[in-house]
Amino acid sequence: MSLAPVRPARRLPRRLLQLYVGLALYGASSAFLVRAGLGLDPWDVFHQGLAERTGWSIGTVSVAVGALVLLLWVPLRQRPGLGTVSNVFAVGLTMDATLAVLPDVHGAVAQAALLTAGIVLNGVATGLYIAARFGPGPRDGLMTGLHRRTGRSLRLVRTGIELTVLAAGVLLGGTAGVGTVAYALAIGPLSQLFLRVFALPEEEKAPEPARGAEPAGAAAPARAVDPVRG
């Protein structure tokens, strides 16, 4: 095996592909959940409720809410990445595009199948775009920013945010139901699985110049592994 270092430029095309394929699939998976009609994830319940009130498409509302959430990063001193900004626009646009061609489904079996496909595809999409390491989405960044500012646990902050937007979405007319519960239970394990599947391989490092003989039996220094950022 060659010990030549892997240059970041060689990995950039794959990272960009993962980012934009992941964001596109995320929007498509959200559209699947809408057409299934059995309940959306908490943020999309909120988006759908706002869409009902404003007359905008749910994808347009998603873009607008993402942009507003991104503004909340300023007082939290969060720095957006390419993936953050791309998330704001790409998910909503692909969601609307998928809804334009995906027909309504009828019957419990068809709805359950579309719901399952949407949740699994959402997990695939999450693994793809997060493993690309271009920064979190605006809503995840809000969660981590509030975690740092308040000192509360990530689990508590995330639960608080999602319960708030879910309640607001239901009051506005968004759809919550068995699909919302199924999403909440499945998305964590699925995301973890696909983060491992799509994780970028560790870079190989060139050997350092020899500094003299090592003592016999000396242990090699441990290599630090950079974790996948969420």
Side-chain angles (χ1 to χ4, degrees):
M1 181 178 66
S2 171
L3 292 177
V6 177
R7 298 185 180 184
R10 291 178 56 187
R11 194 170 290 174
L12 183 60
R14 172 179 168 175
R15 292 176 62 209
L16 288 170
L17 181 65
Q18 282 195 202
L19 171 65
Y20 289 109
V21 170
L23 293 177
L25 291 179
Y26 198 102
S29 69
S30 298
F32 282 19
L33 298 183
V34 172
R35 288 288 186 251
L38 296 175
L40 309 176
D41 69 89
W43 277 102
D44 277 339
V45 173
F46 182 59
H47 298 152
Q48 189 182 54
L50 283 177
E52 292 288 336
R53 299 289 180 170
T54 62
W56 296 356
S57 70
I58 188 172
T60 300
V61 170
S62 176
V63 171
V65 170
L68 289 173
V69 170
L70 192 55
L71 290 177
L72 296 177
W73 283 35
V74 177
L76 295 174
R77 298 181 181 178
Q78 294 276 90
R79 292 185 179 182
L82 175 64
T84 309
V85 178
S86 298
N87 184 297
V88 171
F89 298 98
V91 172
L93 293 175
T94 55
M95 186 178 184
D96 274 351
T98 305
L99 286 170
V101 299
L102 187 65
D104 290 325
V105 297
H106 304 284
V109 173
Q111 287 178 289
L114 194 58
L115 172 68
T116 302
I119 293 174
V120 173
L121 188 61
N122 194 277
V124 172
T126 300
L128 277 167
Y129 89 79
I130 291 181
R133 302 185 185 184
F134 279 110
R139 296 159 186 81
D140 286 339
L142 175 65
M143 173 188 67
T144 55
L146 287 172
H147 158 67
R148 282 199 292 266
R149 296 285 285 183
T150 64
R152 303 293 184 180
S153 70
L154 279 172
R155 179 178 298 180
L156 180 62
V157 171
R158 177 168 184 167
T159 301
I161 292 173
E162 294 197 348
L163 286 177
T164 299
V165 297
L166 176 61
V170 170
L171 291 174
L172 289 168
T175 304
V178 65
T180 308
V181 177
Y183 181 92
L185 293 175
I187 195 60
L190 285 172
S191 298
Q192 186 67 30
L193 169 64
F194 288 110
L195 275 169
R196 292 173 180 168
V197 171
F198 298 116
L200 297 170
E202 292 296 322
E203 291 188 5
E204 296 176 353
K205 297 182 180 179
E208 295 183 2
R211 297 180 181 176
E214 290 285 343
R223 180 184 176 188
V225 177
D226 180 30
V228 175
R229 294 188 305 172

